[in-house]
Amino acid sequence: MMKVILLEDVKGKGRKGEVKEFPTGYANFLLKNKKGMEATPGNLAKMDREKKENQALAATMLEDAQAFKANIEQLEVVIKVKTGDRGRVFGSVSTKGIAEAFKSQHNITLDKRKMELAADVKGLGVVKVPIAIHPEVKATLTVKVEAQ
């Protein structure tokens, strides 16, 4: 039996970063295919350091996402659309249109795929669009749709 630190998820065996004991033959297979490394004291210390660095990086990313959320929620984007009689909108406003308008008005790039718009906007007025900035942080973008 041999202790191995898994470098990636191995189906049915374990997840990345786990230390598991495997039969020598399978452990050699994991080492050869760079799916694991031997669990020596030096390698274990290295994994602990990397884990701490990753936690610090994750905390920094969370703080940045919260600051970005505060910045975005103060701004609003105005989209001018063509309308017919009775204020009816020709076409609709999609997440792509919202992202492009936000980029042109505020010079901030947003990912249209992160916007959680239930359906395209088909009317005039103010719409609140949720946007996922980080797995733990969601902002609400204010979109004002006006007649051209």
Side-chain angles (χ1 to χ4, degrees), residues 3 13 67 98 112 146:
K3 282 194 175 191
K13 301 295 180 188
I98 294 169
K112 67 180 183 178
E146 296 179 347

Side-chain angles (χ1 to χ4, degrees), residues 5-20:
I5 302 169
L6 294 176
L7 298 176
E8 60 184 64
D9 292 352
V10 178
K11 189 174 182 179
K13 301 295 180 188
R15 301 186 63 76
K16 180 180 179 178
E18 289 182 346
V19 178
K20 296 272 186 161

